[in-house]
Amino acid sequence: MVDWLQHTTGGLLLLAAAGIALLLAMIIWWKVEPFIALLIVGVGTALAAGIPVETLVGSIQSSNAGSLIETGFGNILGHIAVIIGMGTFLGAILEASGGAQVLTRKLLQAVGEKRAALAMGLAGLIFGIPVFFDIGIFVLAPLVYVVAKQSGKSILLFCLPLLAGLSVTHAFLPPHPGPVAAAGLLGVGLGWVILFGAICAIPAWAVGLWFSNWIGNRIHIEVPEEMLEAAKVHDDKPGTATAPTKTEPKLGTVVSIIAIPLVLILIGTFGSIALPRHSFAAGVATFFGTPAIALTISVLLAFWLLGYRRGMTRSQVSTIANASLKPVAMILLVVGAGAFYGRVLTVSGIGKAVQSSLADIGLPVLVAAYLISCGLRIAQGSATAAIAASAAIIGPTIANAGYTQPQLALIVAAICAGSIIASHVNDGGFWIVSRYFGISVKDTLKTWTVLETILSVVGFLVAAVLMIFI
């Protein structure tokens, strides 16, 4: 029995299925943190698959730097920690400086009151690049309250476009943890992830805008009065008002700081292809296009242009930066544990068993990646955990399959698309949306849950169509 379990395709697939079932049981029913659950399941799967203890954890007599635990955690965290940390710094200083309000107000002025919903959608799409999903809601929700109240229309017409923009950028685009983690686990350059993530995200966002308008005209929800009072208090704070203040940053500065790292990373990715190898120009493009360098440049500019030059002290900027890192620690641990689990699946041979099984039933890897991500998302709620686990599961299957960088980027996009499907009561984002916009649970399921599913399906379909031609 043990030999069958460890050395046959059927036995290895059973180990994989049992591991995933245990993972979901620990997270859903036993309320174990995803990081701890992934670590326990990884260790249990390794031992059940017959991986030697010395390979798994090292030995007392010698350095255990080559153990699966250390290489699994170390390889991915060495790749993504700086990127996620710098991206978090960038989002924090943009939030604290009032850049989001400037961006949203200018968009409202540009498109006019009749297209306020479009302005909110664009604000979510642009401001969602550097900030976490929930932070984007906290910062921009007061603007939604005011616009919805002034229009006399349902708050859904304005909050859902904003949520669509925040959701697709959080799911598909670096420097958000999900796509960065998936890129690291699957070995694909962030430039390709940015390019194809944007190509998948924008059509999904556009369909999300259509749905927001359709459902917003059928379900009328008033702006909660207590939220309007909170918005008035919020407006009294320096740099966060919906009307101009003397100290607010310029729109061009805000947009430039958001765009700089994306542009540099794209230049680095495609410059290395277009420019002569080992040339000076290629070296410059590679250096400045390295994600860690590109984000560091943007963060330093943000600290100076949005912080010090506008009167913030070094202590204030440091406090903002330090506070922003609090939610990052658990994200990094989840991603590291997911990478460790992926290493176990590779070394144990489970990855090859999954690959051969997919080939036998004719299921494309991109479809399998999406379905796995969907299942994990629906079961346990966390998008980041779903991405980390999905990439860990599918990674060994595609490790030596000869996929190109664009194809790998599309697989990343499919995983990310699956991670946002069908947000419901086990997802923290579901409750944030319901609470901040005064939507009942029933109506949140009718609106937000359906919107997330639309964004997921459209993003995946774009990736699937592109995969046919690339």
Side-chain angles (χ1 to χ4, degrees):
M1 178 65 182
V2 173
D3 184 72
W4 175 82
L5 196 65
Q6 297 176 351
H7 298 101
T8 67
T9 297
L12 291 170
L13 290 177
L14 178 60
L15 279 178
I20 294 172
L22 178 59
L23 176 67
L24 293 176
M26 292 178 72
I27 295 173
I28 297 170
W29 291 309
W30 303 334
K31 307 302 180 184
V32 178
E33 286 289 343
F35 154 64
I36 299 174
L38 281 164
L39 184 61
I40 291 173
V41 171
V43 170
T45 302
L47 294 175
I51 294 175
V53 172
E54 291 78 8
T55 302
L56 178 61
V57 299
S59 65
I60 302 298
Q61 288 76 23
S62 62
S63 170
N64 59 357
S67 69
L68 286 184
I69 290 180
E70 293 215 356
T71 56
F73 273 82
N75 289 346
I76 187 63
L77 294 183
H79 177 71
I80 72 168
V82 175
I83 299 170
I84 293 176
M86 285 296 177
T88 303
F89 285 159
L90 182 60
I93 194 67
L94 282 165
E95 173 202 349
S97 67
Q101 286 76 13
V102 173
L103 175 65
T104 307
R105 194 183 66 254
K106 293 293 185 182
L107 286 170
L108 285 168
Q109 292 173 353
V111 304
E113 292 184 7
K114 292 183 179 180
R115 296 184 179 87
L118 174 61
M120 299 310 300
L122 288 170
L125 192 66
I126 298 171
F127 190 63
I129 294 172
V131 302
F132 288 146
F133 174 80
D134 51 353
I135 298 298
I137 294 177
F138 301 156
V139 173
L140 295 177
L143 298 171
V144 172
Y145 307 149
V146 173
V147 171
K149 186 65 176 179
Q150 290 175 346
S151 70
K153 298 178 180 178
S154 173
I155 194 173
L156 295 174
L157 287 167
F158 308 99
C159 73
L160 290 181
L162 171 68
L163 294 170
L166 292 172
S167 183
V168 296
T169 50
H170 184 79
F172 290 99
L173 294 180
H176 288 287
V180 170
L185 289 166
L186 300 187
V188 55
L190 282 189
W192 291 108
V193 175
I194 291 171
L195 176 63
F196 287 107
I199 291 173
C200 293
I202 292 175
W205 170 78
V207 177
L209 290 186
W210 169 83
F211 171 76
S212 300
N213 182 70
W214 183 83
I215 198 70
N217 283 311
R218 283 160 177 77
I219 300 177
H220 185 85
I221 297 176
E222 294 285 350
V223 181
E225 290 300 324
E226 64 272 19
M227 294 301 184
L228 281 173
E229 291 299 320
K232 292 177 182 177
V233 173
H234 184 85
D235 288 347
D236 292 335
K237 296 179 181 179
T240 60
T242 54
T245 68
K246 293 181 180 179
T247 60
E248 71 177 14
K250 294 180 179 179
L251 176 64
T253 302
V254 173
V255 173
S256 297
I257 288 173
I258 293 173
I260 281 172
L262 301 181
V263 172
L264 287 177
I265 292 170
L266 289 171
I267 289 174
T269 298
F270 299 107
S272 63
I273 298 172
L275 297 170
R277 297 187 66 181
H278 307 301
S279 66
F280 176 77
V284 170
T286 299
F287 176 78
F288 287 103
T290 300
I293 300 297
L295 281 163
T296 299
I297 291 170
S298 186
V299 166
L300 291 176
L301 286 172
F303 280 179
W304 170 250
L305 295 174
L306 301 180
Y308 303 137
R309 202 176 75 170
R310 297 178 56 249
M312 288 188 189
T313 65
R314 285 178 172 80
S315 177
Q316 288 174 322
V317 171
S318 178
T319 299
I320 292 169
N322 290 335
S324 71
L325 289 179
K326 289 181 180 179
V328 172
M330 187 55 71
I331 290 172
L332 292 176
L333 288 174
V334 169
V335 173
F340 160 63
Y341 186 36
R343 285 287 297 150
V344 168
L345 295 179
T346 299
V347 174
S348 65
I350 292 175
K352 288 185 178 179
V354 173
Q355 181 182 22
S356 63
S357 299
L358 291 177
D360 290 342
I361 64 176
L363 185 65
V365 168
L366 183 128
V367 176
Y370 177 69
L371 293 177
I372 291 170
S373 183
C374 286
L376 289 169
R377 157 65 167 189
I378 293 170
Q380 53 79 44
S382 168
T384 301
I387 291 174
S390 300
I393 292 167
I394 208 70
T397 302
I398 64 177
N400 299 306
Y403 287 103
T404 64
Q405 286 283 294
Q407 290 171 331
L408 289 173
L410 289 172
I411 294 173
V412 168
I415 292 173
C416 293
S419 76
I420 58 172
I421 197 170
S423 169
H424 60 96
V425 294
N426 67 353
D427 175 21
F430 177 93
W431 296 108
I432 292 174
V433 170
S434 177
R435 185 186 70 173
Y436 265 76
F437 298 110
I439 310 172
S440 68
V441 171
K442 179 181 178 181
D443 285 337
T444 306
L445 288 168
K446 289 181 179 179
T447 57
W448 162 248
T449 302
V450 175
L451 173 64
E452 284 285 86
T453 302
I454 289 171
L455 298 178
S456 171
V457 172
V458 174
F460 166 70
L461 289 176
V462 174
V465 171
L466 290 174
M467 194 70 165
I468 298 172
F469 300 101
I470 292 177

